[in-house]
Amino acid sequence: MPADPSRWPQRAGLIADLLPPAVAAVESAGHLPEPGPVLFPVEEAVMHTAGPRRRAEFAAGRLCARAALARLGVPAAPILPGPAGQPRWPAGVTGSITHCAGYRACAVARTTDVAAIGIDAEPDAALPAGLIEMVATGPERAWIRRHAARRGAGVVGAGLPDAGVPGAGLPAVCWDRLLFSAKEAACKLWYPLTGQWPGLRAAVIGLGTTGTFTVCLPGPGPGAGDRPATRLTGRWLASGGLIVTAIAWTP
């Protein structure tokens, strides 16, 4: 039997604050868990060729997932990756898992309450050179350039808004990384709903400076009729060197 996830330190207050009350979220920060009886045998089997770090990340995500499922009253069970690497949840459950250096999280809900969830966590640091051109549209890149220039040469980041600086008071966040994270969260939500991975450029994001974002996804989602696109709203938070994004589709 895998280790009891309740014995592993958990961090609260990031992803959970961005999602509806019906969602159960578990987060953890710090070092990856020590090796031990974390995975079910069938999970071990699918990870047998993975390197030590990938296996540790997979195990850490499954620990969070089992703790989150327990909050819904769902017994611990293997959570295997699907065709696109997405977690395959127990019947009647939807959810999403994310991890980055020093942080991992899972959010789950019953499908009677929430149809799909997408979460993502990233370091609050600029994207590697050349990546933003691969994932962002021209208008998205222009928005990032405008808002990055308005941060006031360190004034906003220091928490000292200056009325003489255009755009002073904007959050001190790496906007390119935030855009990337919002796209990741949106795509994680979309694939389980539609069986289609839209691609990061196809998920068109409108970032808000006060903790929200919109996403326009290609094609209608379930029950959306014949609309050419679907528009949803998500939320974001930057804290402690992390950016977290979350979006939910409710029936």
Side-chain angles (χ1 to χ4, degrees), residues 112-127:
T112 51
D113 298 318
V114 177
I117 302 167
I119 64 173
D120 188 68
E122 301 284 336
D124 190 357
L127 288 173

Side-chain angles (χ1 to χ4, degrees), residues 1-7 36-39 63 66:
M1 172 64 70
D4 179 1
S6 67
R7 298 178 61 187
V38 173
L39 300 178
L63 275 173
R66 286 192 252 285

Side-chain angles (χ1 to χ4, degrees), residues 33-214:
E34 294 295 325
V38 173
L39 300 178
F40 283 90
V42 68
E43 293 171 327
E44 291 273 10
V46 301
M47 295 301 293
H48 75 281
T49 60
R53 180 166 185 81
R54 174 67 186 118
R55 185 184 182 282
E57 290 170 343
F58 182 90
R62 266 52 187 178
L63 275 173
C64 285
R66 286 192 252 285
L69 289 169
R71 295 185 181 182
L72 295 182
V74 177
I79 304 166
L80 299 177
Q86 82 283 6
R88 295 170 63 182
W89 300 102
V93 173
T94 189
S96 184
I97 297 173
T98 188
H99 56 77
C100 65
Y103 178 83
R104 67 288 313 177
C106 175
V108 295
R110 295 191 180 276
T111 52
T112 51
D113 298 318
V114 177
I117 302 167
I119 64 173
D120 188 68
E122 301 284 336
D124 190 357
L127 288 173
L131 183 55
I132 191 65
E133 287 79 11
M134 297 174 61
V135 303
T137 65
E140 289 170 339
R141 296 197 301 274
W143 190 97
I144 289 170
R145 287 193 297 270
R146 289 196 305 272
H147 286 74
R150 292 175 181 175
R151 285 177 57 178
V155 173
V156 176
L160 300 171
D162 183 341
V165 177
L170 289 175
V173 62
C174 287
W175 296 107
D176 60 345
R177 183 74 72 159
L178 174 57
L179 179 81
F180 177 84
S181 182
K183 286 174 177 272
E184 284 280 340
C187 289
K188 287 180 178 180
L189 173 141
W190 202 236
Y191 183 84
L193 280 174
T194 65
Q196 302 292 322
W197 189 264
L200 297 184
R201 284 182 64 88
V204 179
I205 299 294
L207 290 176
T209 60
T210 56
T212 63
F213 65 90
T214 60

